[in-house]
Amino acid sequence: MKLLLSLSLVACLLVAQTKAASNLVCFYDSSSYIREGLGKLLNPDLEIALQFCSHLIYGFAGIRGDNYQAYSLNENLDIYKHRFSEVTALKRKYTHLKVLLSVGGDRDLDVEHPNKYIELLEGEKVRQAAFIQSAQSLVKNYGFDGLDLAYQFPRNKPRKVHSEVGMVWKKFKKVFTGDFVVDKDAALHKEQFTSFVRDVKNSLRSDGLLLSLTVLPNVNSTWYFDIPSLNGLVDFVNLAAFDFLTPQRNPEEADYTAPLYGSDVQNRLPHYNADFQVKYWLDQGYPSTRINLGVAAYGNAWKLSADSGLEGTPVVPNTEGPAPEGLQSQKPGLLSWPEICSKLSNPQNQYQKGNDAPLRRVGDPSKRYGVYAYRSIDGAQITEGIWVSYEDPDSASNKAAYVRANNLGGVALFDLSYDDFRGQCTGDKYPILRAIKYRL
Ligand SMILES: *[C@@H]1O[C@H](CO)[C@@H](O)[C@H](O)[C@H]1NC(C)=O
């Protein structure tokens, strides 16, 4: 009896030990289903990922601007072409998998109602009831295991980090103009959000459905999340700790977009790194095992000018906004991992010259800031310069190691369609996802 007891104690301890760092939350952007060309992600390729993912988060649903109901942003695909049900049906085959529906993200763009997420919080309870009821129906009718709130809050204002000159003046000015204030009612919205989340959670609780929160890039947790109160309301949180700079927000200079740690040289902001964001949630008493660190599978690419210099060392000055879109990603300034990989030196391009020459890759032995690659304008053959900050399987694996070392819940990958799901780079399908899984 005694032996049995101690054996089960040992078993419990082992379970407890493996509990942390076991989440691999895979974001799935359903618009990849209707992309043209090699970026099109269909079921057979999606399924390969599912053996590695603990959760699949289906993106994205939105909020209707007129009545605040949750709804599919592409009803033709999600509902009439049965994509919602097809994806949740995969749980029968991959029984360990939890599938959540995400509301918001950067997909729910609505020029007529740009403030609807805030209006929903500010409105009367009936307004929120409309959202809650409709969200609950979507989740239940289509067989999801829960809801993810990738809530759209006002973003941090982009700031130029480079110029040393004028820095003192700017700091001075900021004190008077409140340059960094993006929402003067942030404190109120924080309170309203907590109460909203409580109501959402209550609507899901009786059916045992999950609720997660995704903190979108450049949404400031200090302003919008009452972390002690959210503890106990949301099952886990995904910190999208990347895109601190992007070619859209910061067209004139390029820098590491998702550094793990901060660096105090060159006037960088202390909170623009993953470690700061994680530590902030931890310091507020949020349980480490419920935090998933977000890792992007894509890179941000800037167009270089002749004045950006030859070295490529970040912070790179005088950039000209987003580099042209990739054939697969089809978004200016964004390149998927297989697209980046094909631009690095490989047997196909190693003897190419000029604008087709391979990019020069600069690794990060310190494992603190991430990798980048570039091709600068040389005044001769190269007329199209590019600088890209990205995650590769090694750097992603390094972030997974950080997750383990800090006893976090796991990693959230954004998203499956930007990893190399066809194995174009080395033949391995989903090399970033695998590298993370292997480390966790
Ligand atoms: C929110 O912004 C303020 C002011 O810019 C900054 O001091 C703080 O660290 C930010 N919080 C987080 C969690 O990034």
Side-chain angles (χ1 to χ4, degrees), residues 295-314:
V295 172
Y298 56 83
N300 284 289
W302 277 261
K303 190 173 172 215
L304 296 178
S305 75
D307 296 331
S308 302
L310 293 173
E311 279 91 59
T313 317

Side-chain angles (χ1 to χ4, degrees), residues 28 42 49 89 102-103 106 114 123 135 140 157 188-189 265 280 293 310 319 324 329 352 366 382:
Y28 165 63
L42 299 176
S102 184
V103 175
D106 290 320
K140 283 169 73 170
K157 280 188 190 168
L188 181 63
H189 296 144
V265 296
Y280 181 76
L293 175 61
L310 293 173
T319 52
S329 72
Q352 303 267 25
S366 78
I382 302 173

Side-chain angles (χ1 to χ4, degrees), residues 94 132 236 325 358 385:
Y94 302 90
I132 291 172
F236 54 87
E325 61 180 29

Side-chain angles (χ1 to χ4, degrees), residues 198-219:
R198 186 170 293 119
D199 294 343
V200 175
K201 179 64 188 177
N202 284 337
S203 78
L204 301 173
R205 214 188 291 265
S206 56
D207 294 305
L209 297 167
L210 297 169
L211 179 62
S212 64
L213 174 67
T214 294
V215 179
L216 294 174
N218 297 301
V219 166

Side-chain angles (χ1 to χ4, degrees), residues 156 180 219-223 269-272 276-277 280-281:
N156 294 332
F180 57 84
V219 166
N220 188 316
S221 293
T222 313
W223 298 338
L269 288 171
H271 52 295
Y272 279 14
F276 184 98
Q277 298 299 320
Y280 181 76
W281 279 75

